[in-house]
Amino acid sequence: MDNSFKNKFKDWLSRYGYAIILTAIVLLVDCVVYWLTRPIARNFKVFDFTIHGFDDKVPLIKLFFIPYLLSYPYWFIAPIIAAKNKRRFCNWFVAVMISFLIVGIIYCFMPTTIVRPIDEMLQSDSVIDNFIGNFYLFDGGYVPFGCFPSIHCLLSAFCYIAVRGQKNIHISNRIGILIMDLLILLATQFTKQHYIVDLISAVFLAEFTFFICNRFNFGQKLENLINKIESKFKKTAEQKE
């Protein structure tokens, strides 16, 4: 491997390594909130937030499963692109954690569900339909929990919030993330995974928690901790040289 590439990679890692770790923590906590709240939710009344005349008229558009599934790598890549501004990123991370806490409480004690065409997909002769039906079975089955607010919409909204207004991030990256964000929000509707209230509540929660955390700099202690750790690593590296 070329030494110049190694040096560039080391420099990139030294600047953005903290973002990789924090983003990984976000995705881990996401899984914990989504999957581990279900056993608790089974003990409580399940709510149905269907808006009749709207939600039940939204069609299943199978093509939207592509952006829906691409959201998983997107959630890892987009925040790291936003990591050029450490202060903003730390406030973003704290806002995401606070949102997860709120969502986790709602998922436990006020579980919501959605009706999906599982039998129709499983009984079809289409391979794609069978995949969708089995995906529904894996993701909650006939009575899925964890719909309101939508974590898919929440994290996707946070990804755009992370880069929004940052002029030090190339405009093509900001526009690309915005387009991907919108596609995922639409995908939650056209894959019949969420109702419109799940989408709206998630975007509102992301915007509100980030506004508060960024306004009052809730991530300051985390930023200071990261700076101390990076300083120690830098001194250790200089001593070895």
Side-chain angles (χ1 to χ4, degrees):
M1 188 180 291
D2 185 73
N3 284 332
S4 62
F5 176 80
K6 281 184 177 180
N7 291 333
K8 287 180 180 178
F9 179 73
K10 285 181 179 179
D11 179 61
W12 179 85
L13 198 60
S14 66
R15 284 184 292 167
Y16 303 118
Y18 80 93
I20 295 173
I21 294 171
L22 293 182
T23 302
I25 292 173
V26 165
L27 298 182
L28 177 62
V29 175
D30 168 30
C31 293
V32 169
V33 170
Y34 189 70
W35 292 103
L36 295 189
T37 54
R38 294 188 176 198
I40 301 173
R42 290 191 181 96
N43 299 312
F44 293 88
K45 178 184 176 182
V46 178
F47 293 85
D48 183 350
F49 288 165
T50 307
I51 298 178
H52 296 286
F54 181 86
D55 290 313
D56 48 2
K57 299 295 183 183
V58 175
L60 172 64
I61 304 177
K62 299 165 191 175
L63 189 63
F64 273 92
F65 268 94
I66 296 174
Y68 189 87
L69 295 174
L70 286 177
S71 62
Y72 297 102
Y74 165 74
W75 292 338
F76 185 77
I77 295 169
I80 295 172
I81 293 175
K84 291 184 178 181
N85 186 330
K86 189 181 292 184
R87 177 187 180 277
R88 183 181 176 93
F89 189 92
C90 289
N91 287 326
W92 175 89
F93 176 81
V94 173
V96 174
M97 291 298 107
I98 292 173
S99 294
F100 278 162
L101 176 62
I102 294 170
V103 168
I105 293 171
I106 294 173
Y107 282 7
C108 284
F109 304 111
M110 196 182 73
T112 55
T113 191
I114 184 171
V115 177
R116 302 176 295 181
I118 298 178
D119 291 333
E120 179 185 338
M121 294 295 105
L122 292 176
Q123 292 167 9
S124 171
D125 294 329
S126 167
V127 173
I128 294 175
D129 288 357
N130 290 166
F131 168 79
I132 293 172
N134 281 289
F135 178 82
Y136 286 152
L137 286 178
F138 170 76
D139 190 25
Y142 288 92
V143 186
F145 297 134
C147 295
F148 170 86
S150 163
I151 280 189
H152 244 82
C153 296
L154 181 75
L155 270 183
S156 299
F158 266 124
C159 285
Y160 177 62
I161 288 171
V163 302
R164 185 176 59 200
Q166 292 207 58
K167 294 183 179 180
N168 58 343
I169 297 174
H170 198 278
I171 190 170
S172 62
N173 287 332
R174 283 182 278 153
I175 292 174
I177 289 173
L178 173 60
I179 291 172
M180 190 64 186
D181 179 31
L182 294 174
L183 284 173
I184 293 171
L185 294 183
L186 290 172
T188 63
Q189 304 301 298
F190 292 127
T191 58
K192 309 299 288 183
Q193 283 286 83
H194 287 282
Y195 292 136
I196 191 65
V197 68
D198 305 333
L199 185 159
I200 294 172
S201 59
V203 173
F204 174 80
L205 180 60
E207 292 285 357
F208 178 75
T209 52
F210 178 76
F211 173 78
I212 296 297
C213 291
N214 199 51
R215 173 69 177 79
F216 296 101
N217 197 18
F218 283 3
Q220 183 174 10
K221 289 184 178 180
L222 176 60
E223 183 184 1
N224 293 340
L225 175 62
I226 291 169
N227 288 335
K228 287 180 181 179
I229 293 172
E230 288 179 343
S231 178
K232 287 183 180 180
F233 272 108
K234 187 176 180 180
K235 288 181 180 179
T236 303
E238 289 174 351
Q239 290 173 357
K240 287 182 179 179
E241 292 176 359

